[in-house]
Amino acid sequence: MRTSEKNYVKQKSQKQIDGFYQYIDDVVNKKIVVCDLIRRAVDRHLNDMDNAESRGYYFNETIAECVMRFFTTLKHAKGEWGRSPIILEPWEKFFIGSIYGWLHIDTGFRRFSTAYLEVARKNGKSILASGIGLYSLDMDDEPGAEVYSFATKKDQARIVFDVARNMVI
């Protein structure tokens, strides 16, 4: 469950990237229970922090922070959290930081163009997908950017669109 609006004020003054690193630390020190795939993703990140430059990549903490901070400008669209600011959980910060933070040294393009996320119901997947879509649509400096939402049924795919629309109106 997301933190309260009261905690938002406290968290706003902190760097968003701190939660990213705290999540990594919690996984490494087994303070939280994660599956093997998450543990391997964290291990890959740590290994890449030491070795990615030799393969042409680097981690841009400023861009990762910028994307995470973008989410704080969005508001929940419905339910008990309606109109309150979105505060990313540490696992969400790790997911976003991993996608947006790793860049190619020569081109500046993101290392990862595809990401897979699987979490249980009621964990904010639509909110996360909507925020990522909005960021990609407007903040990526991509002329004519297009964002798509896919699902097995049209009404399911529309959920992400509706959440994104309601976040900005």
Side-chain angles (χ1 to χ4, degrees):
M1 183 161 271
R2 298 190 182 276
T3 55
S4 69
E5 193 167 341
K6 180 180 176 185
N7 287 337
Y8 171 73
V9 175
K10 182 175 139 188
Q11 188 172 2
K12 193 173 182 181
S13 63
Q14 298 172 340
K15 283 184 141 187
Q16 296 292 311
I17 200 77
D18 293 345
F20 173 86
Y21 289 121
Q22 184 62 54
Y23 183 77
I24 291 170
D25 187 60
D26 288 348
V27 169
V28 168
N29 293 311
K30 300 182 180 177
K31 291 181 181 176
I32 56 175
V33 177
V34 296
C35 70
D36 185 54
L37 293 173
I38 299 297
R39 188 168 307 287
R40 287 172 33 197
V42 168
D43 289 344
R44 180 190 63 230
H45 176 81
L46 292 172
N47 184 51
D48 287 346
M49 290 298 281
D50 294 332
N51 304 313
E53 194 172 318
S54 65
R55 292 184 318 224
Y57 294 100
Y58 71 103
F59 186 73
N60 188 317
E61 193 175 279
T62 303
I63 289 180
E65 171 76 22
C66 180
V67 180
M68 291 177 218
R69 189 149 313 273
F70 173 78
F71 274 83
T72 67
T73 68
L74 303 173
K75 302 226 184 274
H76 288 275
K78 61 183 180 178
E80 75 175 277
W81 298 100
R83 294 190 215 119
S84 65
I86 292 176
I87 299 173
L88 296 173
E89 296 292 329
W91 69 266
E92 293 171 312
K93 290 178 182 183
F94 179 73
F95 182 73
I96 291 169
S98 295
I99 294 170
Y100 286 94
W102 285 103
L103 303 176
H104 192 272
I105 290 172
D106 296 331
T107 65
F109 292 156
R110 283 194 299 271
R111 175 181 179 185
F112 301 110
S113 59
T114 304
Y116 177 78
L117 177 66
E118 183 176 341
V119 294
R121 295 183 62 228
K122 302 294 182 185
N123 276 289
K125 291 183 296 290
S126 297
I127 291 169
L128 188 62
S130 297
I132 288 171
L134 289 170
Y135 184 88
S136 298
L137 186 66
D138 189 45
M139 306 296 287
D140 250 354
D141 200 27
E142 174 75 26
E146 297 179 6
V147 175
Y148 298 95
S149 176
F150 295 94
T152 57
K153 296 185 176 141
K154 183 179 178 180
D155 59 329
Q156 288 178 325
R158 184 156 180 101
I159 291 170
V160 173
F161 172 79
D162 289 341
V163 169
R165 182 191 64 215
N166 291 334
M167 284 175 159
V168 295
I169 60 171

